[in-house]
């Protein structure tokens, strides 16, 4: 991948026992809610062989936007661009924020949510009872196996790496084709009184 200055970044060049890859987005409110907890975990586990890296796979988010966002949210871990969706494909990531804990051989030891603060997209639970990422890291640094290896992450959908077939003869209408997409993926946040009012 590349960092925000356009320099090449390789997972193999890192010397950490447990890299944590977190998919993040400037525009996703659920991703933004986890930037501080991820920064706290990065600081807490830095001397234990764990390194957190954020991956932005949203092509419409520029390096400058991400850089400013990182300053605004005091992000304390490296951020990378994945415009070609390489990390998305390799890890089969689905949403922002979704995390993957790897080991030194790049095997996935944990994947999924950071905690159980949400029961669905934009639907918070009354209390957070499980801190899945923290629990996985605590076990791994003690040389133990992760008990729960995968959980379901909720958040904003990542761009799909699959190419969709096109039909040049198809008639696309706003009402039939575009509106349902906006209602399913955008209206949850972009409405009066919420994070992105229109």
């Amino acid at each position: 991948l590349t960092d925000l200055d356009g320099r090449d970044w390789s997972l193999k060049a890192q010397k950490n026992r447990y890299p944590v890859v977190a998919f993040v987005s400037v525009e996703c409110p659920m991703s933004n809610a986890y930037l501080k907890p991820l920064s706290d975990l990065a600081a807490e586990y830095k001397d234990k062989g764990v390194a957190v890296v954020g991956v932005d796979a949203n092509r419409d988010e520029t390096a400058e936007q991400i850089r400013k966002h990182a300053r605004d949210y005091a992000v304390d871990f490296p951020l990378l661009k994945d415009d070609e969706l390489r990390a998305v494909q390799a890890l089969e990531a689905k949403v922002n924020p979704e995390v993957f804990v790897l080991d030194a051989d790049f095997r996935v030891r944990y994947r999924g949510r950071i905690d159980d603060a949400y029961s669905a997209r934009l639907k918070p639970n009354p209390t957070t009872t499980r801190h899945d990422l923290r629990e996985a890291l605590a076990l791994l640094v003690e040389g133990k196996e992760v008990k729960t290896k995968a959980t379901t992450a909720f958040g904003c959908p990542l761009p799909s790496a699959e190419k969709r077939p096109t039909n040049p003869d198809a008639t696309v209408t706003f009402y039939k084709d575009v509106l349902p997409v906006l209602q399913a993926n955008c209206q949850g946040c972009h409405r009066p009184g919420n994070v992105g009012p229109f």
Side-chain angles (χ1 to χ4, degrees), residues 129-146:
T129 58
R130 287 193 52 87
H131 297 273
D132 303 276
L133 176 58
R134 180 179 291 281
E135 290 169 19
L137 291 175
L139 288 167
L140 287 171
V141 298
E142 290 176 9
K144 298 177 182 172
E145 278 295 313
V146 177

Side-chain angles (χ1 to χ4, degrees), residues 28-196:
C28 177
M30 290 179 69
S31 171
N32 293 336
Y34 282 109
L35 292 175
K36 174 144 182 21
L38 284 170
S39 288
D40 292 345
L41 273 174
E44 181 181 343
Y45 281 91
K46 185 167 116 177
D47 297 330
K48 298 175 182 175
V50 174
V52 175
V53 61
V55 175
D56 188 307
N58 306 284
R59 292 183 182 111
D60 57 342
E61 296 178 2
T62 67
E64 188 49 48
Q65 286 174 309
I66 299 166
R67 198 178 286 114
K68 179 184 181 310
H69 195 68
R71 285 192 303 267
D72 292 346
Y73 281 83
V75 173
D76 197 22
F77 50 87
L79 294 169
L80 309 171
K81 282 292 286 164
D82 185 22
D83 288 340
E84 302 302 317
L85 307 180
R86 290 186 179 114
V88 172
Q89 285 180 306
L91 295 169
E92 298 179 354
K94 302 285 187 264
V95 298
N96 295 304
E98 185 173 8
V99 294
F100 296 81
V101 180
L102 310 176
D103 62 20
D105 296 320
F106 311 119
R107 291 176 300 187
V108 177
R109 303 296 290 273
Y110 170 78
R111 67 174 293 157
R113 66 189 183 189
I114 296 162
D115 59 32
D116 69 349
Y118 291 88
S119 60
R121 184 170 179 240
L122 299 171
K123 294 194 187 302
N125 282 321
T127 58
T128 303
T129 58
R130 287 193 52 87
H131 297 273
D132 303 276
L133 176 58
R134 180 179 291 281
E135 290 169 19
L137 291 175
L139 288 167
L140 287 171
V141 298
E142 290 176 9
K144 298 177 182 172
E145 278 295 313
V146 177
K147 293 175 184 166
T148 304
K149 296 183 182 342
T151 57
T152 301
F154 300 108
C156 306
L158 280 159
S160 173
E162 297 173 9
K163 295 211 183 304
R164 296 184 182 172
T166 59
N167 179 354
D169 299 325
T171 302
V172 177
T173 67
F174 179 82
Y175 177 76
K176 182 178 66 131
D177 302 293
V178 179
L179 183 60
V181 174
L182 292 174
Q183 288 173 328
N185 297 297
C186 307
Q187 217 168 346
C189 298
H190 295 283
R191 65 178 193 265
N194 212 307
V195 69

